[in-house]
Amino acid sequence: MTPYRLSLLLLLALTIISSGSNAEPLANHQHRIISTDAGVTDVLFALGMGSSLVGIDATSVLPSEVASDKVANLGYHRMLPAEGLLSLNPDLIIGSEHMGPPETIAAIKKADLTLEQLPVAKDEKALKENIKVISELVDKKAQAQALLSHIDETMALVHQQQLPANSKVAFLLQLEGRGLRLAGKNTTGEDIIALLGGSNIAQHNSYQSVSAEALLSLEPDVIIVAGRDASQSSVEVLLKNNPLLQHTPAVQQQKIIEVDGRLLVAGISLSAVDALADMAKKLH
């Protein structure tokens, strides 16, 4: 658990929030929760509900103080096994709109439990709405206020440190052995670019492979590199393997930064908000 979340748990506000959600809170006896989304897992721990988690998906990260064998890992959220989920006897399952497969969703809906599928957040407004829904489900609306305030304060800093108008930004996924993947339309990478005030240089949908030559021709003003190996610098690896990129405006103006790609797997999450603030500060 990150330091800010620990501090949030100590500073939980007592203000009751209002929400338009129709979510019904858990009854007092209900306390077995499965999260199939990394962002949802983060919120549950931040709300003090980590001890109620009995299962998570493969993208969720447990705080270091939680033993991994205490919470079942149910695998990829699009390929969840119905028997595995239901065998944990959950009262509540929360995931994203991308939970699957359909037969698992159908089986869950027939069971005596609450299923909540949330939209993937593309900005802070959607993230806050998701937090309100989760907090209502677990009867932690008062505790959610601290999270909402943290998002407002952090994003205010991001908005104060926007990129110059018309900045062309390339968001790259750097995967071991798979070359470079450039974030296109309808990706979290593009959402990150928009929240930083930039314009995505990619016109394609989803993530597509890109060569150093093609990237050089696009002349990005900013390059964001999302890696998944914390043991080495993603920027250094990128430039070592693709020396042509030294000639891009982004590198020549030292506007190339890295971000932990694991923080972005669930869209704009609590972790992504903090990563955004860090990126905005470095690029300002």
Side-chain angles (χ1 to χ4, degrees), residues 10-280:
L10 299 174
L11 298 171
L12 290 174
L14 296 178
T15 305
I16 302 298
I17 61 172
S18 62
S19 168
S21 168
N22 295 319
E24 295 292 335
L26 289 173
N28 290 335
H29 69 280
Q30 294 176 315
H31 58 274
R32 295 180 65 82
I33 304 172
I34 292 175
S35 167
T36 65
D37 179 82
V40 171
T41 302
D42 282 354
V43 171
L44 288 170
F45 274 102
L47 292 175
M49 294 298 295
S51 61
S52 295
L53 273 174
V54 295
I56 56 174
D57 75 315
T59 65
S60 295
V61 178
L62 295 173
S64 57
E65 63 269 25
V66 178
S68 59
D69 61 352
K70 298 297 183 183
V71 183
N73 190 321
L74 296 160
Y76 185 49
H77 67 140
R78 292 179 186 266
M79 297 295 294
L80 296 166
E83 290 185 0
L85 270 76
L86 298 177
S87 68
L88 296 174
N89 193 28
D91 308 297
L92 171 64
I93 298 176
I94 313 177
S96 79
E97 58 193 319
H98 298 308
M99 277 181 65
E103 49 267 35
T104 292
I105 301 301
I108 293 172
K109 289 181 176 178
K110 291 179 181 177
D112 182 22
L113 57 84
T114 299
L115 169 66
E116 186 72 32
Q117 290 182 263
L118 299 169
V120 176
K122 299 177 71 67
D123 54 31
E124 68 267 34
K125 180 181 179 181
L127 172 60
K128 290 169 64 178
E129 288 302 315
N130 284 350
I131 290 174
K132 290 176 182 177
V133 172
I134 296 170
S135 67
E136 288 184 2
L137 285 166
V138 299
D139 200 19
K140 293 287 185 180
K141 291 192 294 183
Q143 289 85 342
Q145 186 59 49
L147 303 183
L148 303 182
S149 297
H150 174 76
I151 293 169
D152 286 339
E153 293 166 3
T154 305
M155 290 306 299
L157 294 175
V158 173
H159 295 314
Q160 291 169 7
Q161 301 178 96
Q162 294 283 280
L163 291 168
N166 303 317
S167 294
K168 297 186 296 182
V169 184
F171 188 100
L172 295 172
L173 283 182
Q174 186 169 245
L175 303 175
E176 185 68 29
R178 296 177 57 184
L180 300 177
R181 304 276 288 175
L182 180 63
K185 305 296 181 184
N186 302 311
T187 63
T188 298
E190 182 171 72
D191 297 335
I192 294 288
I193 292 171
L195 289 170
L196 291 172
S199 298
N200 192 358
I201 63 169
Q203 298 300 312
H204 56 258
N205 290 318
S206 191
Y207 289 90
Q208 289 189 8
S209 297
V210 64
S211 66
E213 291 81 0
L215 195 57
L216 177 62
S217 69
L218 293 172
E219 299 184 321
D221 301 307
V222 174
I223 297 176
I224 300 171
V225 190
R228 298 192 177 186
D229 185 353
S231 65
Q232 57 186 342
S233 166
S234 296
V235 169
E236 290 180 4
V237 172
L238 172 71
L239 297 180
K240 179 181 178 181
N241 294 336
N242 304 275
L244 269 180
L245 298 183
Q246 295 281 359
H247 303 290
T248 60
V251 176
Q252 293 183 344
Q253 298 170 20
Q254 299 184 349
K255 296 294 185 183
I256 179 169
I257 60 173
E258 61 187 68
V259 61
D260 187 343
R262 295 171 298 182
L263 303 179
L264 311 176
V265 295
I268 303 304
S269 62
L270 285 173
S271 299
V273 165
D274 284 351
L276 266 165
D278 184 57
M279 286 187 279

